């Protein structure tokens, strides 16, 4: 019984993902414990939890990233399990180990798996050894510019330059020649220094890989079960991005041939097996839209922001599966998918240049209806503060075909009203009329093209 093995579940996160996890926890008959900062005290996830604990001021380092405060909240409330959501401490192997050392159930993969996949260079080498395709790139970190220049000459320009650690597209850039590489290396080095905080590395750990000009960003949802079995639950196309960060995701990915899709799913299963993966995770890949081939990008050892599109096409509750696997159960899982799902991230940001636009929400009116799902972290009267990611909600639609899903999305976006902070709903409406997106023939450069070639 989940109630006996997990008891109260502490959700070590905030906003829409905390609210979404709390919903499943309570549906399963478990008590949900929220932790929150002073800035988030009035948000829906705090009200909807069975118990909520204030853990510090707005600054994440003094609240959501403070391991000691999170564990003290678990002890004080009698929580028996910790679900990290995504972001914050979700892919922190030391936090996962601290949870386990405290005698609690960690709802996620093992600290060892998190650690092995958290370094992109180590992950890349491990995947190559497991027979997963990888792009031409560095097998050791480039710790200074001379090494980066030497690597780029071997790989061939253009190259993608990024940090070995961290995520969210931070510090990533493309270099087409040596002068651009020098700038890209400096940018990535600054990001690497932030990620390394306190680890005192010998130098910046920078990864260079061959850049694919017309790439689609496609990821496979995997689930590792007790006993070592790993299953693939379809793929998601995440190619609509600004600043290398996803904005819209859909499943299945339009344009993939059945043969390519099957190869990607099989490779993702091998990736999960190679690290002894347990629970929900994502194997991210870059697809060469011209060659209909793919290479491994990275593995996210957590629940993804965009997990609802997989839930909509499979009918599964991924949070429930995470909890059951963490409790030692081996749930029956169907890998069949049906229909088409699209997710739009609704941000408090300028819809043209995508700069954050925090503020107090004066009107919040969500769309409803068949095939419409909204995972929101806010309501009218709440304030989107500048302390955290400006994601306010995820608007998801599901329909039998992509054409029907697009039409359902147009109606849902048009009927979603948010007033107060700036928001990107106008961008979502614009995207839904863009020829490339409607046709399904797009790549990661789409948003930049929509903005006249300006980096987005």
């Amino acid at each position: 019984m989940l109630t006996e093995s997990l008891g109260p579940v502490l959700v070590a996160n905030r906003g829409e993902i905390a609210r979404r996890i709390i919903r499943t926890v309570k549906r399963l008959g478990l008590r949900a414990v929220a932790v929150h900062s002073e800035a988030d005290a009035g948000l829906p996830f705090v009200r909807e939890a069975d118990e909520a604990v204030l853990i510090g001021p707005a600054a994440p380092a003094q609240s959501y990233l403070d391991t000691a405060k999170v564990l003290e909240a678990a002890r004080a409330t009698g929580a028996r399990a910790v679900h990290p959501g995504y972001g914050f401490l979700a892919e922190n192997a030391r936090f996962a180990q601290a949870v386990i050392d405290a005698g609690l159930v960690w709802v996620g993969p093992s600290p060892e798996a998190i650690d092995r996949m958290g370094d992109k260079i180590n992950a890349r080498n491990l995947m190559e050894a497991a027979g997963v395709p990888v792009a031409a790139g560095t097998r050791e970190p480039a710790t200074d510019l001379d090494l980066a220049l030497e690597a780029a000459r071997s790989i061939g320009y253009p190259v993608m330059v990024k940090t070995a650690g961290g995520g969210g597209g931070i510090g990533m850039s493309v270099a087409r020649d040596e002068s651009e590489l020098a700038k890209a290396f400096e940018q990535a080095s600054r990001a690497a220094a932030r990620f390394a905080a306190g680890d005192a590395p010998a130098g910046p750990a920078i990864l260079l890989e061959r850049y694919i000009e017309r790439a689609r960003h496609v990821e496979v949802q995997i689930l590792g079960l007790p006993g070592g079995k790993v299953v693939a639950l379809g793929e998601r196309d995440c190619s609509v991005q600004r600043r290398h960060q996803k904005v819209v995701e859909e499943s299945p990915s339009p344009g993939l041939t059945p043969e390519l899709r099957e190869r990607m799913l099989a490779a993702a299963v091998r990736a999960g097996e190679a690290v002894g993966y347990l629970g929900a995770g994502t194997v991210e890949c870059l697809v060469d839209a011209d060659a209909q081939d793919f290479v491994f990008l990275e593995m996210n050892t957590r629940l993804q922001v965009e997990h609802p599109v997989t839930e909509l096409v499979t009918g599964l509750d991924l949070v429930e599966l995470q909890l059951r696997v963490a409790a030692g159960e081996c749930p029956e899982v169907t890998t069949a998918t049906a229909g088409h799902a699209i997710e739009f991230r609704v941000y408090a940001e300028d819809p043209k240049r995508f700069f954050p636009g925090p503020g107090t929400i004066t009107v919040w009116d969500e769309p409803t209806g068949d095939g419409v799902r909204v995972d929101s972290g806010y309501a009218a009267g709440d304030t989107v503060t500048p302390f955290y990611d400006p994601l306010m909600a995820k608007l998801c639609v599901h329909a039998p075909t992509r054409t029907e899903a697009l039409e359902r999305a147009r109606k849902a976006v048009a009927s979603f009203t948010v007033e107060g902070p700036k928001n990107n709903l106008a961008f979502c409406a614009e995207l839904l009329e863009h020829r490339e997106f409607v046709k399904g023939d797009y790549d990661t450069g789409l948003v930049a093209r929509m903005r006249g070639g300006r980096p987005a």
Side-chain angles (χ1 to χ4, degrees), residues 402-416:
R402 186 172 190 268
T403 298
E404 292 171 286
L406 289 171
E407 184 55 34
R408 184 162 285 172
R410 291 186 185 101
K411 294 176 180 178
V413 168
S415 61
F416 200 154

Side-chain angles (χ1 to χ4, degrees), residues 160-163 169-174 180-195 204 206 243-244:
M160 174 63 78
V161 183
K162 52 189 174 182
T163 64
I170 298 171
M172 289 175 57
S173 58
V174 179
E180 289 188 2
L181 178 56
K183 296 176 184 176
F185 185 85
E186 175 60 27
Q187 176 181 317
S189 296
R190 290 195 299 268
R194 293 196 299 272
F195 293 138
I206 306 302
R243 298 192 299 275
H244 301 293

